[in-house]
Amino acid sequence: MGYRSTFAGIAGATTLAVIAAVAHAQEAPAAGTIVDGSLKGKTLTFVSYGGIYQDGQVAALKEFVDKSGVTLLNDGPTEIAKLQAQVESGNVTWDVVDTADLPPYVHCGKLFQKLDLTKIDVSHIPAGQVGECSVPAMNYGMVLMYKNDAYKDNPPKSWKDFFDTEKFPGIRAIDGSGDPIGALIEQGIIADGGSVENMTPADIDKGIAKIKALGPDTIFWKTGAESQQLAESGEADMVMMWTGRAMTAVKNGAAYTPVWQDWMVVMDQLTIPVGVKDTDAAYALINAYLGKQAQEILTEQTSYSPIHNEAQPKVDASVAAFLTNTPDRVKQGYQQNIKFWVANFDAASEKWTALMAGN
Amino acid sequence: MNQTIDTTTAGGSDPRPAGRAASEPRRWRLADYPSLLTVPAILLLIAAMAYPLLTIVLRSFSEPEWSLQNYVWFFSTPVNLTVLARTFSISAWVTIVCVIAAYPYAYLMTTVGPRMRLVLIMCVLVPFWVSGVVRTLAWVILLQDSGVINSTLKAIGFSSIRLIRTQTGVVIGMAQVLLPFMILPLYSVMRGIDLRLVQAARSLGARPALAFLQVYLPLSLPGVFAGAIIVFILSLGFYITPALLGGPRSTMLSTLVQSQVLSLLNWGRGGTMGVVLLVSTFVLLAVAAPLMRQRHKQASRS
C-alpha cells in the first residue's frame, strides 16, 4: 500500500469516526428531554426507598409521566436480595431501581445492565459519578457533627480529631446501618498514620482497629432516624450523620455543628436491572430524571443535593446550609476509593460485621 | 386431591365401586373425614413453611457449590460462635425475667374479681396490640443515658447507669415485648388449678410457703414450661429490639443473617446460620423435653 492510499484510508476512517460521533451526539437526547406521548400505554415500575425521598422523586418525574403518557408504578424499599430473586427467576418487575452507592458496581452486568450512554445525557453529572451500570440519583454527604457544649473552645476540625480520643474525649456515634463505610475505614487508616494511596486488604484491618479503639461506648446507629435522635437528645458527643438527618436535627434544635473538612460524598444510584421488559422506556425515565428542572424539584422537596450542575433549587437557609453541591463543599468533599471497596467488598463486609457484633 | 375436594363439595355422587355401595347407598360427608379439615392449613404450611425451609436448607449446602463450605465457614469464624452463644444466653435471660415477672401477675389474675381481671388482661393485651417497633422506641426514650430513668436517678441524687446499648437493656426490652406470651399460657393453666387444694394443704398443717411450693407450684409448672418455650424460641429470632436497644456486644444471630443475605447476597451463608440456629434449638428442646415430661407426671400425680 502506497503512502497516498494509507493517507486516504486514515482520512476516510477519521471522517467516518467524526460522522459516527456526530450521529451519537445527535442520538443522545439532552437530559430532561421528554418526547410527547412516546410511552403511551406503557407501564414502568420505579423502585426506591419510600418516604419523602421517593415522594420527591415522583414529583420530579411528574412532567415525564404527564408528557410521555407512561403509567408510573412505585415500589420499594429497594432490596438487592429481592432484585436478585427477580433476575434469577427471570421475572423482573422493577424497571428503574434506586440503590445505595456500591451495589451497582458490585453487581454490574449480573443484576444491573451496563448503561448505553448514547441513550442518556450524562454531561451535567458531577465528575466521576457515572458508573458502568449506574448514574447518581442525588448526592448527599456523611458529615461529622459535634456537640457544641462538649468541646467549647477547641472543637474537632477533622476526622483525625474524631479518632483522637485523648484530646477529644466523649462518645462517638457511627453509621452501623449495614454495609461497611469505606470512607470511614480510610479515614481510620489516615488517622493511624497510614496512606490510602495504595491500599491493600491488610489496611482494612488497620482502619477497623482504629474504629474499635474509639472504645466500648461507641454507638453504632442502625437507622438515620436513630442518628438524628442521638443528636437531638444529646446522647453522643460526635455523631457521624447523613446531611439530611443532620439538617433536620439542627432544625429541631440539636446544638451541634458540622465539620465540613473531608465530609464523605455519598450518593444514591439509578440502575436498570438485567432482564427488564422495555429497556428504552427505562432509559427515557432516567434521562428525564437527570434534567435540570427535575433535579430542582427533587432538591426542593427532599433537601438532597441535585446531580445536575446547573440546577438552582429554591430552598431556605437551613436547607442550603447542608447542600453539598456548592463550590466550597465540592472542594472539601472526600470520595472513598470505590474501586478498592468493590474489589474487597466481601472481606470488608466480613470484618465490618465482626466489628458490629462486638468482636 | 381434586377428586376428594369434588366429592366432598358436590356431596351427591358416589365414586366408590358398586360392590360396596350396593349394601346401602351412602353419601360422602365431610364429617366422616374430619382430617380433611386440616387440608387448608397443611397446604398453607407446605407453601409458606416447608417449601421455603427446604430451599434454605438446600441452598446452605449448594451455594456457591455443593459442599459443606458454609458450615465450615460458620464454625471456623469466631464471631459467629460468639454471637450464637450470646443469642442463646440473651434468650435464656429473657425467659427467666419473663417467668419471674409473669408468674405473680398471672396468679393475681386468677384471684381477683372479674372486673379487676379484665383490667389486668387489658394491661397485658393493649401493649401486645402496639407494634413491636413502637414499643422498642419507647424503651429507647426510657433507657437512654439522657432518658427518663437516668434523669430521674440523677434528680434524686444517684449516679446514672448505663442501660441502653447493653445486654441488660436488650433483655429488659425483649422481656416486655414477650411478656404476654408468658402470662397467657400461665394464666390458662393457673385458672384450672383448684385453690381448695392449697387450702387443704394448709388445713393439714402446711405453712403458706410449703403449701405453695408443694401443691400450687407443681400444678402450675406446665404453664411455666409452655410459656418458657414460646418466649425462648421467639427470643432466638428477635431482630428489631436488639438492633435498636443493643450495641455491638448484644448483637444477635438474626442481625448477622440479615447482613449476609441483604448486603452480601450470600444466601448460602445466611441459610447456614438459620439452619444452625434451628438445629441447635431442636437439640436444646430435645434435651429439655424429658425433664418437662417427668415434672408434668409429678404434677398430675399430686
Side-chain angles (χ1 to χ4, degrees):
Chain A
M1 203 187 277
Y3 172 76
R4 256 182 102 95
S5 59
T6 312
F7 179 76
I10 291 172
T14 315
T15 318
L16 274 180
V18 168
I19 291 171
V22 170
H24 264 186
Q26 279 171 344
E27 239 177 84
T33 318
I34 305 159
V35 184
D36 268 325
S38 54
L39 299 173
K40 214 162 216 154
K42 292 190 174 168
T43 303
L44 281 172
T45 304
F46 178 72
V47 179
S48 184
Y49 291 93
I52 62 155
Y53 177 45
Q54 195 161 354
D55 291 346
Q57 291 179 308
V58 171
L61 287 169
K62 190 176 178 298
E63 195 196 353
F64 168 70
V65 172
D66 290 347
K67 264 196 177 173
S68 72
V70 76
T71 309
L72 189 69
L73 302 178
N74 279 282
D75 200 358
T78 305
E79 246 166 46
I80 306 299
K82 265 190 196 168
L83 179 66
Q84 187 192 28
Q86 291 189 14
V87 173
E88 278 179 7
S89 67
N91 183 19
V92 180
T93 56
W94 288 357
D95 295 302
V96 176
V97 181
D98 183 305
T99 73
D101 43 12
L102 289 188
Y105 292 94
V106 179
H107 307 292
C108 189
K110 283 172 278 176
L111 297 180
F112 303 107
Q113 293 193 19
K114 294 193 174 163
L115 295 181
D116 179 353
L117 296 185
T118 63
K119 294 186 175 171
I120 41 177
D121 173 15
V122 296
S123 58
H124 294 284
I125 294 175
Q129 295 199 4
V130 178
E132 208 181 346
C133 284
S134 60
V135 292
M138 49 73 172
N139 275 184
Y140 60 109
M142 182 69 91
V143 70
L144 167 57
M145 299 284 288
Y146 66 85
K147 195 190 208 165
N148 295 344
D149 26 317
Y151 308 101
K152 284 166 186 129
D153 300 329
N154 181 28
K157 292 181 190 68
S158 65
W159 291 104
K160 203 164 186 167
D161 295 344
F162 179 82
F163 284 107
D164 191 342
T165 48
E166 273 177 29
K167 267 195 221 153
F168 300 92
I171 296 174
R172 269 75 164 163
I174 287 173
D175 177 359
S177 62
D179 291 343
I181 311 299
L184 186 69
I185 302 177
E186 287 180 29
Q187 291 295 342
I189 296 170
I190 296 170
D192 195 38
S195 155
V196 291
E197 285 294 304
N198 300 302
M199 267 189 295
T200 61
D203 289 326
I204 302 177
D205 292 323
K206 283 186 205 155
I208 290 207
K210 200 75 188 161
I211 298 173
K212 216 170 167 182
L214 290 174
D217 286 342
T218 306
I219 301 166
F220 295 92
W221 49 262
K222 293 275 181 271
T223 61
E226 197 185 342
S227 70
Q228 190 184 325
Q229 201 270 341
L230 288 171
E232 286 178 26
S233 63
E235 285 275 295
D237 300 302
M238 290 193 214
V239 191
M240 172 183 183
M241 284 175 99
W242 291 323
T243 41
R245 291 294 181 174
M247 178 199 76
T248 320
V250 170
K251 249 188 189 173
N252 290 349
Y256 282 65
T257 309
V259 176
W260 284 108
Q261 187 55 48
D262 289 326
W263 64 274
M264 297 159 178
V265 179
V266 198
M267 65 197 87
D268 265 22
Q269 311 273 21
L270 282 189
T271 58
I272 307 179
V274 167
V276 298
K277 284 171 196 81
D278 193 337
T279 317
D280 282 341
Y283 277 117
L285 184 151
I286 291 180
N287 204 39
Y289 183 96
L290 297 177
K292 178 168 173 281
Q293 224 182 342
Q295 286 300 310
E296 285 166 354
I297 296 172
L298 181 74
T299 299
E300 283 158 14
Q301 301 240 344
T302 65
S303 81
Y304 287 114
S305 300
I307 43 94
H308 190 291
N309 57 5
E310 287 161 13
Q312 282 171 341
K314 293 176 199 66
V315 290
D316 62 40
S318 58
V319 175
F322 282 90
L323 285 184
T324 57
N325 65 330
T326 61
D328 280 352
R329 296 286 173 266
V330 171
K331 257 184 259 160
Q332 292 164 315
Y334 182 81
Q335 174 71 57
Q336 64 174 340
N337 185 342
I338 292 182
K339 238 181 164 177
F340 177 82
W341 295 110
V342 169
N344 296 287
F345 188 70
D346 285 2
S349 290
E350 198 145 305
K351 286 166 185 167
W352 186 261
T353 306
L355 173 73
M356 293 291 115
N359 265 62
Chain B
M1 182 66 67
N2 275 339
Q3 202 187 15
T4 34
I5 287 168
D6 281 345
T7 48
T8 46
T9 49
S13 65
D14 187 348
R16 281 180 295 182
R20 274 191 73 186
S23 58
E24 189 190 320
R26 244 200 96 183
R27 298 174 68 127
W28 270 66
R29 285 182 307 162
L30 193 58
D32 295 336
Y33 302 92
S35 57
L36 279 180
L37 290 171
T38 62
V39 167
I42 287 175
L43 284 181
L44 188 71
L45 281 177
I46 289 175
M49 180 79 201
Y51 174 69
L53 188 61
L54 191 71
T55 317
I56 288 171
V57 174
L58 285 181
R59 289 184 88 158
S60 76
F61 289 103
S62 71
E63 280 185 16
E65 57 199 35
W66 281 98
S67 77
L68 286 172
Q69 64 214 338
N70 292 326
Y71 290 87
V72 171
W73 165 81
F74 184 91
F75 289 105
S76 62
T77 311
V79 60
N80 292 334
L81 300 177
T82 315
V83 172
L84 181 69
R86 187 191 292 149
T87 304
F88 277 91
S89 89
I90 289 181
S91 302
W93 278 112
V94 170
T95 313
I96 292 169
V97 170
C98 276
V99 171
I100 294 172
Y103 198 92
Y105 193 92
Y107 178 76
L108 188 67
M109 280 167 74
T110 61
T111 55
V112 294
R115 201 169 281 174
M116 191 62 199
R117 183 177 307 138
L118 189 70
V119 172
L120 288 178
I121 289 180
M122 291 312 277
C123 288
V124 177
L125 286 184
V126 170
F128 193 45
W129 294 331
V130 178
S131 131
V133 183
V134 174
R135 274 185 287 168
T136 302
L137 285 174
W139 276 112
V140 172
I141 295 168
L142 288 172
L143 297 178
Q144 66 189 1
D145 296 342
S146 54
V148 178
I149 294 175
N150 271 319
S151 37
T152 314
L153 280 177
K154 265 184 249 170
I156 53 175
F158 290 99
S159 63
S160 64
I161 41 170
R162 179 43 74 74
L163 289 168
I164 196 160
R165 291 179 290 279
T166 63
Q167 276 197 28
T168 317
V170 173
V171 169
I172 293 173
M174 283 173 69
Q176 197 268 328
V177 173
L178 290 168
L179 203 54
F181 292 100
M182 184 62 96
I183 291 178
L184 296 177
L186 260 179
Y187 170 66
S188 77
V189 168
M190 284 180 175
R191 202 179 42 180
I193 298 175
D194 193 340
L195 286 176
R196 285 173 306 178
L197 290 173
V198 182
Q199 286 169 5
R202 296 229 30 212
S203 71
L204 290 171
R207 290 174 180 205
L210 197 67
F212 170 78
L213 285 176
Q214 293 212 323
V215 178
Y216 194 86
L217 184 66
L219 286 173
S220 65
L221 278 182
V224 174
F225 287 132
I229 287 175
I230 298 175
V231 168
F232 185 76
I233 290 179
L234 286 175
S235 300
L236 289 176
F238 250 53
Y239 174 65
I240 297 280
T241 308
L244 290 180
L245 292 181
R249 268 170 308 285
S250 45
T251 303
M252 291 174 75
L253 200 64
S254 51
T255 311
L256 293 192
V257 175
Q258 190 254 7
S259 87
Q260 284 297 331
V261 174
L262 293 187
S263 69
L264 290 173
L265 293 190
N266 214 323
W267 301 68
R269 285 183 179 179
T272 302
M273 290 175 163
V275 171
V276 169
L277 186 59
L278 188 69
V279 169
S280 33
T281 310
F282 280 150
V283 169
L284 202 76
L285 288 181
V287 170
L291 200 79
M292 289 178 208
R293 228 174 285 134
Q294 250 176 3
R295 292 218 176 137
H296 280 213
K297 267 183 215 146
Q298 217 174 24
S300 57
R301 249 185 283 136
S302 56

